Amino acid sequence: MLAATKRIAKELCNRLGYDVSRIPRVQNTKKDYSKELRQLGVEKAHYGSGVRLLSTDWVNIDLAPRPLDSNKVYVPANLASKQPFESNFFKFAFAEDFLEHLDQSESLIFLSEVFRCLQPGGVLRLSFPGLRGILRRHYLSSDYEGASVGQTQAYTIWGHKHYFSEESLETVATHIGFSKTDFVEYGKSAHEDLSNLDSRPDQRDLNIYAELTK
């Protein structure tokens, strides 16, 4: 019975574009992928990639099952733990709609590890639902019913855990050691490598777009 259930689940995942055989059995790896990435000339990290894999000059990183796409670089890792890369390795990093899936303590680990892995002067671009946008969109009345609906729509349905505001993000970034926090517009960046990466225009009134420089 268990074997049949696993087979059916695997078939369903494959139809959705996932390869179950590539799912790591552990939640993190002690392997350091830096040497392999250096050989490939990869110096940009796409965190929390999900099913959207960026081109071969990026390494896509996630714990979730990966799409069946052998042409893209992918590393399995638990991003709420120590990352399997050398310090001062990446020039650029990007995470879209990922930060809200971490609770506050997990996000502190993630951002601290991104800071460690970025080269001096390296930049992390973040795109994620901000607290102000969440309140405007989902918390429409200041009573129990309104808060309950907001909880369902903003947290439960999507598995979201925590929302930063601009102020709290800047506070955390400064404490970790980032030299600068810039709040930018959808798709726009002073860095060509980080331009036009955002893929969800329907969330412009909801998301915060920020770039943190090490």
Side-chain angles (χ1 to χ4, degrees), residues 12-31:
L12 288 172
C13 287
N14 287 338
R15 290 178 186 176
L16 292 171
Y18 297 104
D19 183 358
V20 178
S21 65
R22 294 178 182 171
I23 302 174
R25 291 186 177 275
V26 294
Q27 289 210 341
N28 203 15
T29 176
K30 294 182 179 179
K31 179 176 180 179

Side-chain angles (χ1 to χ4, degrees), residues 26-89:
V26 294
Q27 289 210 341
N28 203 15
T29 176
K30 294 182 179 179
K31 179 176 180 179
D32 188 328
Y33 289 89
S34 305
K35 182 178 179 180
E36 296 172 35
L37 295 179
R38 188 175 290 109
Q39 291 173 342
L40 293 170
V42 174
E43 295 182 303
K44 297 183 287 187
H46 179 203
Y47 291 111
S49 58
V51 298
R52 183 195 176 202
L53 301 188
L54 297 182
S55 59
T56 52
D57 58 344
W58 290 82
V59 55
N60 301 278
I61 310 159
D62 209 325
L63 181 63
R66 61 160 290 172
L68 292 170
D69 191 339
S70 60
N71 295 321
K72 307 294 174 62
V73 183
Y74 180 85
V75 164
N78 177 5
L79 293 175
S81 184
K82 185 175 178 64
Q83 295 182 16
F85 311 109
E86 295 175 1
S87 299
N88 307 313
F89 187 80

Side-chain angles (χ1 to χ4, degrees), residues 14 29 31 45 92 125 189 192 194:
N14 287 338
T29 176
K31 179 176 180 179
F92 294 103
R125 183 181 179 92
S189 175
E192 183 177 355
L194 299 176

Side-chain angles (χ1 to χ4, degrees), residues 16-192:
L16 292 171
Y18 297 104
D19 183 358
V20 178
S21 65
R22 294 178 182 171
I23 302 174
R25 291 186 177 275
V26 294
Q27 289 210 341
N28 203 15
T29 176
K30 294 182 179 179
K31 179 176 180 179
D32 188 328
Y33 289 89
S34 305
K35 182 178 179 180
E36 296 172 35
L37 295 179
R38 188 175 290 109
Q39 291 173 342
L40 293 170
V42 174
E43 295 182 303
K44 297 183 287 187
H46 179 203
Y47 291 111
S49 58
V51 298
R52 183 195 176 202
L53 301 188
L54 297 182
S55 59
T56 52
D57 58 344
W58 290 82
V59 55
N60 301 278
I61 310 159
D62 209 325
L63 181 63
R66 61 160 290 172
L68 292 170
D69 191 339
S70 60
N71 295 321
K72 307 294 174 62
V73 183
Y74 180 85
V75 164
N78 177 5
L79 293 175
S81 184
K82 185 175 178 64
Q83 295 182 16
F85 311 109
E86 295 175 1
S87 299
N88 307 313
F89 187 80
F90 296 113
K91 286 185 178 179
F92 294 103
F94 173 61
E96 180 178 41
D97 288 349
F98 169 69
L99 201 57
E100 69 275 15
H101 290 278
L102 305 177
D103 64 29
Q104 190 174 58
S105 63
E106 291 169 336
S107 68
L108 289 169
I109 291 176
F110 169 66
L111 292 171
S112 295
E113 276 295 283
V114 173
F115 180 82
R116 177 184 68 81
C117 293
L118 278 175
Q119 298 176 10
V123 182
L124 165 66
R125 183 181 179 92
L126 294 168
S127 169
F128 61 90
L131 181 58
R132 285 186 176 85
I134 287 297
L135 293 174
R136 285 195 304 265
R137 181 177 291 192
H138 298 297
Y139 287 78
L140 303 182
S141 63
S142 300
D143 51 24
Y144 176 78
E145 288 72 19
S148 296
V149 170
Q151 180 184 45
T152 299
Q153 293 180 348
Y155 292 88
T156 308
I157 292 177
W158 305 106
H160 293 174
K161 297 179 179 180
H162 174 260
Y163 295 104
F164 279 97
S165 65
E166 289 86 346
E167 293 85 356
S168 62
L169 178 65
E170 188 166 16
T171 296
V172 167
T174 300
H175 179 80
I176 289 172
F178 286 96
S179 63
K180 184 171 60 168
T181 300
D182 294 311
F183 295 100
V184 295
E185 297 181 33
Y186 176 91
K188 296 183 179 180
S189 175
H191 309 280
E192 183 177 355

